[in-house]
Amino acid sequence: MKKLCFVALLATLGFTQQSNAQDIEFGAKAGLNISNFTGGDADRNSLVGFHVGFISEIPLSEKFSLQPELLYSTQGSEAQDVVKIKVDYLAIPVMAKYYLTEGFSLEVGPQFSFLVNDKAEYIDSDLPDADTDASSVDIGANVGLGYDLNSKLFVQARYNFGISTVVENPDITNSVFQVGLGYKF
């Protein structure tokens, strides 16, 4: 786990050193999350949330670039129409982007997320909200598509597959579909 984080950090720093500073673009993005937990055998429903944050795009060649991001992401799941489990993260995706055509890209990469807030909200009950004991670090893998609408405005759709467990017993992972709109400064 530590080796994976270290390699991702070194790769990002190495690629940044090779790019010209004037080629690096910065921007902001926001969008919709549809999240759920996978694993275990409980009946779950998806939760709708959001993500918002900053991106940078570091071109490495004409068709390939690296896009590190810093996002605030609200995720979770509803369990058996009884409780909504909400987990909020500070997420750091590091996306490798390959431009298939002008403006249209395929994106893949790891995501390292750090728990900011977690709570269980009971539906139709007087029970108070409770902590979920969710893991403080979540690691996932992203795959998605991006399209530059013009030189500044872009859209992205991505799916995050949870690799590490949110809760150990049973092994439950995050599953998040995201659609976002962004603007490069």
Side-chain angles (χ1 to χ4, degrees):
M1 185 89 57
K2 289 180 184 177
K3 289 180 184 178
L4 180 64
C5 291
F6 183 70
V7 168
L9 178 63
L10 282 180
T12 303
L13 292 174
F15 290 140
T16 303
Q17 294 297 324
Q18 293 177 6
S19 297
N20 292 331
Q22 69 247 24
D23 294 339
I24 298 174
E25 295 181 287
F26 296 93
K29 72 180 239 182
L32 176 74
N33 287 351
I34 300 173
S35 62
N36 208 337
F37 293 141
T38 58
D41 55 357
D43 181 27
R44 295 184 198 92
N45 298 321
S46 298
L47 282 186
V48 175
F50 69 92
H51 64 276
V52 62
F54 300 98
I55 64 110
S56 65
E57 186 168 345
I58 306 161
L60 303 176
S61 72
E62 188 176 310
K63 291 210 171 256
F64 188 72
S65 65
L66 192 66
Q67 182 172 301
E69 303 175 1
L70 178 62
L71 305 174
Y72 183 82
S73 182
T74 63
Q75 300 170 196
S77 184
E78 183 180 306
Q80 300 174 339
D81 297 323
V82 174
V83 63
K84 287 183 182 180
I85 309 295
K86 296 183 176 183
V87 286
D88 300 345
Y89 292 100
L90 186 60
I92 304 171
V94 182
M95 305 302 290
K97 293 177 70 172
Y98 179 76
Y99 283 91
L100 301 169
T101 63
E102 181 71 29
F104 185 66
S105 62
L106 176 64
E107 306 172 358
V108 296
Q111 178 169 302
F112 308 95
S113 301
F114 303 93
L115 188 67
V116 175
N117 187 32
D118 66 323
K119 67 179 170 180
E121 293 179 354
Y122 294 94
I123 301 168
D124 297 329
S125 173
D126 292 334
L127 292 173
D129 295 346
D131 286 337
T132 65
D133 294 327
S135 178
S136 61
V137 177
D138 183 59
I139 297 175
N142 293 322
V143 62
L145 300 171
Y147 184 71
D148 294 337
L149 299 170
N150 58 39
S151 65
K152 299 290 184 190
L153 200 59
F154 64 91
V155 293
Q156 294 177 321
R158 128 178 356 156
Y159 186 76
N160 174 268
F161 301 88
I163 295 173
S164 62
T165 58
V166 177
V167 179
E168 295 290 330
N169 189 12
D171 289 343
I172 293 175
T173 59
N174 277 307
S175 170
V176 185
F177 175 72
Q178 296 179 322
V179 177
L181 179 65
Y183 184 80
K184 294 177 186 174
F185 308 126

